[in-house]
Amino acid sequence: MTNEIRLAFEHPAARASATAPDGPLDRISVRDHTVEMEIGAFQAERGTTQRICFNVVVEVRPMTGTLDDDVDRILSYDKVTEAITTELAEERLNLLETLAERIAERILWEPQAVRTFVRIEKLDRGPGALGVEIVRSVDDLTTKPASPHLDTAPHPHVVFLTNTAVRSPNLPRWLDQLEARAEPVILCVGRPEVDSPKTGHRMTQRRVDLLAMEQNAWVLAGRDDRCVVVATRTELDWAMKNGQISVWAPSKIVLDAVDGPTVGPDKPVDLAAWFAGHIEASDLLLIGEAPPSSCDVPVLIQDIARSGL
């Protein structure tokens, strides 16, 4: 038992050696690779970075034939650091467990990789290192569902609604028209006309103003049962595949984005434009609003009279 406890806290290289499968395997390792990043589920971990330490061991099939000192014939440790960098750039995560899973999977797609140990630790959250360690093998990949092809992802029609449009008695009839469209629909709103509380602090004010937008989203949902407030990308993906009209609650997606918007809730049209680009929308429709300063998707502008609102 003492040996098992000792081994549990050893470097992944020692863990790999002690639990080696039958047959010879080579190992490559990256030790104490430390990155400053934002991660964590607690409020104190948002809007700030912390040191995260990565220790990774990859067991690989031994090379056959002559190596010829050719770096292209091996699984380089650069592939390990690239896997870490790529996953860190994908999105802001709450859990080290999620990050470890994604790094392990990316490494195991390399042809030579057989098994990997991924240990990730937070260095600034307590008196010691707080972390997780996982072990995954190529056999684990065979039990995972295949990732959907990028071309199958829906490209929604994003519509920004003013407060006047939200209050309009013609809203249900206009939603009938949106329901008839072939592509899924996501509605965006701004802040309500009532002023938000003032905090006197930039980061906390941003959270308050985002929550004010979410309150307005719930007001829209109360106008018509077809409008469902959604906050996460998973919810949005399900809604788009199942014909649901979604109303975007922005806090989580905005705060979790690695390359988040440069504008805040005080510019709701620009925020809707960022969101449309972020989810690769087919277009952004604005009714009675000036175009955003920039947008990565086509912007359609319609006056209120033509819209029927």
Side-chain angles (χ1 to χ4, degrees):
M1 177 63 73
T2 301
N3 188 57
E4 291 177 1
I5 294 174
R6 180 192 59 78
L7 186 61
F9 291 94
E10 287 287 355
H11 187 271
R15 301 274 314 277
S17 177
T19 61
D22 294 337
L25 289 174
D26 296 338
R27 298 187 188 95
I28 63 170
S29 65
V30 171
R31 292 173 179 260
D32 301 331
H33 178 70
T34 303
V35 177
E36 285 267 352
M37 58 177 287
E38 182 181 338
I39 191 171
F42 291 96
Q43 181 58 38
E45 296 176 292
R46 291 188 175 274
T48 186
T49 61
Q50 57 182 303
R51 290 177 303 148
I52 306 296
C53 182
F54 297 84
N55 281 279
V56 181
V57 172
V58 187
E59 293 179 329
V60 299
R61 296 181 182 87
M63 290 296 303
T64 58
T66 305
L67 185 59
D68 292 330
D69 206 32
D70 184 356
V71 70
D72 290 336
R73 298 198 62 208
I74 64 167
L75 195 162
S76 169
Y77 38 73
D78 288 341
K79 293 290 186 180
V80 178
T81 55
E82 285 172 10
I84 295 170
T85 301
T86 300
E87 291 304 329
L88 292 183
E90 284 292 319
E91 63 176 320
R92 185 198 182 282
L93 296 175
N94 289 330
L95 302 178
L96 293 181
E97 289 85 348
T98 304
L99 180 58
E101 285 276 0
R102 294 182 180 182
I103 291 171
E105 181 173 353
R106 186 173 290 274
I107 290 171
L108 289 170
W109 283 118
E110 295 293 330
Q112 282 181 266
V114 174
R115 193 169 63 151
T116 184
F117 292 70
V118 179
R119 177 182 290 178
I120 310 179
E121 296 169 307
K122 297 179 179 181
L123 303 182
D124 301 323
R125 284 292 292 166
L130 310 177
V132 301
E133 181 176 332
I134 67 170
V135 184
R136 297 293 183 269
S137 71
V138 290
D139 293 335
D140 297 319
L141 294 183
T142 62
T143 63
K144 294 177 67 70
S147 299
H149 195 277
L150 291 179
D151 290 341
T152 66
H155 299 284
H157 178 55
V158 175
V159 183
F160 180 83
L161 292 181
T162 63
N163 290 333
T164 300
V166 172
R167 292 192 300 265
S168 171
N170 295 324
L171 178 66
R173 184 164 55 84
W174 189 68
L175 291 175
D176 291 340
Q177 299 174 19
L178 288 178
E179 266 193 319
R181 295 182 65 107
E183 70 268 39
V185 175
I186 302 176
L187 307 177
C188 297
V189 296
R191 291 181 294 177
E193 290 164 355
V194 178
D195 285 341
S196 304
K198 304 305 177 188
T199 70
H201 183 273
R202 185 177 64 86
M203 289 297 294
T204 56
Q205 189 63 53
R206 185 184 187 214
R207 291 297 296 267
V208 167
D209 291 341
L210 285 170
L211 289 173
M213 294 178 70
E214 297 192 1
Q215 288 180 316
N216 217 17
W218 284 106
V219 170
L220 174 56
R223 292 291 319 280
D224 193 291
D225 290 341
R226 289 171 292 181
C227 298
V228 180
V229 178
V230 294
T232 68
R233 186 57 190 261
T234 299
E235 291 176 289
L236 280 173
D237 288 341
W238 185 93
M240 288 190 287
K241 293 172 183 175
N242 289 274
Q244 173 184 291
I245 296 178
S246 301
V247 187
W248 182 43
S251 291
K252 181 168 176 54
I253 289 177
V254 167
L255 296 171
D256 286 356
V258 172
D259 298 316
T262 57
V263 296
D266 57 320
K267 295 184 177 180
V269 171
D270 288 85
L271 193 61
W274 171 83
F275 173 66
H278 182 69
I279 62 172
E280 299 181 336
S282 62
D283 52 53
L284 169 65
L285 173 62
L286 305 175
I287 298 175
E289 284 283 345
S293 56
S294 65
C295 189
D296 294 333
V297 304
V299 178
L300 311 176
I301 299 178
Q302 199 172 91
D303 59 49
I304 293 177
R306 280 187 55 206
S307 71
L309 282 170

